Amino acid sequence: MVPDLTPSIRSALRSSTLLALVLGFGLSLAPASEVQAFGAPESFAELVQKISPAVVNITTSAMIAGPANNRPIVPEGSPLEDLFRDFNGPGQRGPQRSEALGSGFVISEDGYIVTNNHVIENADDITIEFFSGKKLKAKLVGTDPKTDIALLKVDSDKPLEFVSFGNSDLMRVGDWVMAMGNPLGQGFSVSAGIVSARGRVLQGSYDDYIQTDAAINRGNSGGPLFNMDGQVIGVNTAILSPNGGSIGIGFSMSSNVVAKVVDQLKQFGTTRRGWLGVRIQDVSPEIAESLGLDAAAGALVADVPDGPAKEAGIRAGDVITRFAGQEVADAGDLTRRVADAPIGEAVPVIVLREGKTETLQVTLGRREEAEATATPASAPADAGPKQMETLGLTLAPLDDEARARLGLEASAQGLVILKVDPTSEASTKGLMEGDLITKVGQQAVARLQDLEDRIKEARDGGRKSVLLLLRRGGDARYVALSIE
């Protein structure tokens, strides 16, 4: 007997079996992996009743210098279409107070509340309204603009109802979810849907969004996305919409990202992310082929400025394959793992270098401190006395005049791109006039002959492409170009 089959399917199987026996054929039913389809919940009422006391409406106010009007103002700094709206009175002249609405949820009985950074950004007054109608003033504990998360605190004369974070990694595409918040200032409102996609990246280095078709609108910003156990598995942050309203494409920052940020904000008032000190990029199939790799995986090191990685011996051209004992899928995966790693402690990093693996111990720094240093942009280079056209590029050796224009040290070496053929693969891959090629095939180049030699070596080795290390201003990246 095959379990969990509908009567129609069982009937069809019986008919097929009978037909096979009549025709004299043997029938063999290969065992299939068990697939269970669950129906929609009969009601969400019990879950709503359970979590409602922990969900809050947030009203903020701030003085604005310009004239107010009755149009919604979308704050800058939030990804895609923010779920947030300012409601202003009739247009008047002069500074005046503007109110804005959002959502949030209580995570502890002593009054810690999570919301979006863009909900409370620049506010000088924050009021929390509970499901019971009670209102309390909140103070800001800390914010993290990179994940658009803020932590607030209220003082209550009695313990507050709260909700807990669930494990967002356990959520599957197709699982039921429920959103609750303050859409368009209408007060506490519930919507339900499913997980539409996982691992969405909008624009941030630490993005890990859950996409859902549960109705999310402006004002839902900062509100919780629940699983069916009443655990928060996401913070509603953004929607994709041509008209500003919900079309069933909403994004919630996953709870496993938010929980770590909240813990740091609660403890330090700011984030404390690990810093490796490398500029990295994904390993594309073309780069993998040019390096002789079996698979396009890991994070390719494009540049190693002064910092923890350089001190540990990591070099440009290394492919980081494992970090702290875990495989690295791509550059974004490594960025998130490094951010979560402990500061000031040695972490094992496995790199692939010239076909061999090496294990290095890196003591991570703090990203927030490292980001305080900026690298000035460079100016485009003029043509040098010697030129060569190849790979859709017009190139010249780096000379003193070009070094001065690019803001480089006197010892800097490489080939300057003077021109890019707009119909070439190089143009398609974003190479530009003024870019500096410092390595070809992971070997330094200073003369035009060096480039020719590297291309010949790649062809002789049966390679279809050659790997270039480009520098533009303070940035470096690898690009693979076809040599066929």
Side-chain angles (χ1 to χ4, degrees):
M1 180 178 177
V2 182
D4 299 322
L5 297 176
T6 63
S8 60
I9 295 177
R10 288 198 296 267
S11 175
L13 282 175
R14 285 196 297 268
S15 299
S16 299
T17 304
L18 178 60
L19 179 61
L21 293 175
V22 169
L23 295 177
F25 297 134
L27 179 65
S28 174
L29 293 178
S33 58
E34 185 177 351
V35 177
Q36 295 183 350
F38 300 96
E42 204 171 288
S43 173
F44 291 92
E46 291 185 5
L47 179 58
V48 172
Q49 186 175 8
K50 173 184 174 182
I51 55 90
S52 290
V55 182
V56 300
N57 294 341
I58 298 177
T59 302
T60 66
S61 64
M63 293 299 296
I64 58 175
N69 54 51
N70 57 4
R71 296 180 302 165
I73 299 174
V74 180
E76 297 180 356
S78 57
L80 295 183
E81 179 77 21
D82 290 337
L83 315 179
F84 180 65
R85 189 171 190 170
D86 285 355
F87 294 93
N88 300 321
Q92 299 177 19
R93 294 290 179 181
Q96 57 192 281
R97 187 161 293 278
S98 172
E99 287 193 346
L101 304 176
S103 306
F105 54 98
V106 184
I107 60 168
S108 65
E109 65 178 12
D110 58 346
Y112 282 99
I113 295 171
V114 175
T115 186
N116 279 146
N117 173 59
H118 72 260
V119 169
I120 53 80
E121 192 171 22
N122 300 321
D124 53 32
D125 184 81
I126 305 172
T127 301
I128 306 298
E129 180 185 3
F130 295 85
F131 188 73
S132 63
K134 181 179 180 180
K135 294 184 179 180
L136 293 174
K137 295 293 184 181
K139 62 180 180 180
L140 179 63
V141 177
T143 66
D144 178 33
K146 292 185 182 298
T147 56
D148 201 6
I149 294 299
L151 184 65
L152 310 176
K153 180 72 166 62
V154 296
D155 293 324
S156 175
D157 55 1
K158 56 184 177 181
L160 298 174
E161 296 285 341
F162 65 94
V163 288
S164 301
F165 288 112
N167 186 350
S168 54
D169 287 345
L170 298 180
M171 298 303 295
R172 305 165 300 172
V173 174
D175 280 344
W176 283 98
V177 289
M178 188 181 74
M180 188 171 185
N182 183 23
L184 302 175
Q186 296 303 301
F188 294 90
S189 179
V190 175
S191 61
I194 63 170
V195 174
S196 303
R198 288 289 317 276
R200 293 299 199 201
V201 176
L202 302 184
Q203 67 176 20
S205 300
Y206 310 105
D207 286 0
D208 181 14
Y209 283 100
I210 295 173
Q211 181 183 328
T212 180
D213 65 350
I216 295 174
N217 288 282
R218 291 171 175 163
N220 279 112
S221 281
L225 187 71
F226 290 102
N227 62 19
M228 292 299 97
D229 293 324
Q231 298 172 319
V232 178
I233 50 86
V235 177
N236 300 323
T237 303
I239 60 173
L240 185 60
S241 172
N243 55 22
S246 173
I247 59 171
I249 306 178
F251 300 94
S252 297
M253 182 63 77
S254 65
S255 60
N256 285 3
V257 172
V258 176
K260 294 170 186 174
V261 170
V262 167
D263 286 344
Q264 293 182 357
L265 294 179
K266 185 184 293 187
Q267 185 175 358
F268 305 110
T270 185
T271 54
R272 295 174 62 86
R273 294 188 171 96
W275 177 57
L276 183 59
V278 291
R279 295 187 177 97
I280 54 176
Q281 65 185 83
D282 290 338
V283 179
S284 67
E286 297 127 321
I287 290 177
E289 193 277 334
S290 67
L291 291 173
L293 303 179
D294 295 331
L300 177 61
V301 179
D303 191 22
V304 188
D306 292 339
K310 188 173 184 178
E311 293 173 2
I314 293 178
R315 306 174 189 169
D318 288 347
V319 177
I320 299 177
T321 59
R322 295 181 71 88
F323 178 85
Q326 295 181 307
E327 290 188 3
V328 174
D330 52 34
D333 182 34
L334 178 61
T335 299
R336 290 186 288 271
R337 293 188 188 281
V338 171
D340 294 339
I343 298 170
E345 296 184 18
V347 178
V349 178
I350 297 180
V351 302
L352 184 64
R353 180 183 297 166
E354 298 178 356
K356 299 179 181 179
T357 59
E358 293 190 29
T359 301
L360 305 170
Q361 298 292 326
V362 184
T363 301
L364 300 179
R366 185 183 172 199
R367 187 180 183 92
E368 289 79 4
E369 295 175 351
E371 287 179 340
T373 303
T375 304
S378 60
D382 284 344
K386 298 179 181 179
Q387 298 184 17
M388 180 177 71
E389 294 184 8
T390 184
L391 306 177
L393 304 170
T394 302
L395 301 162
L398 189 63
D399 57 18
D400 290 338
E401 182 181 355
R403 289 187 187 93
R405 291 181 179 275
L406 290 167
L408 300 174
E409 297 178 356
S411 59
Q413 298 291 333
L415 303 177
V416 180
I417 298 178
L418 306 178
K419 186 177 180 181
V420 181
D421 182 350
T423 65
S424 68
E425 178 191 15
S427 177
T428 301
K429 293 191 173 179
L431 277 71
M432 298 172 58
E433 178 183 338
D435 286 348
L436 182 67
I437 299 175
T438 60
K439 288 186 178 183
V440 179
Q442 298 200 71
Q443 297 184 50
V445 291
R447 304 172 304 152
L448 297 174
Q449 185 62 47
D450 295 335
L451 173 60
E452 291 181 336
D453 292 344
R454 300 294 86 78
I455 293 175
K456 183 177 184 301
E457 289 172 4
R459 286 184 175 135
D460 292 345
R463 300 279 171 77
K464 298 178 181 179
S465 59
V466 66
L467 194 64
L468 311 179
L469 177 59
L470 299 178
R471 293 188 180 275
R472 180 183 300 164
D475 296 326
R477 69 183 179 107
Y478 280 97
V479 175
L481 293 182
S482 174
I483 55 176
E484 292 185 321

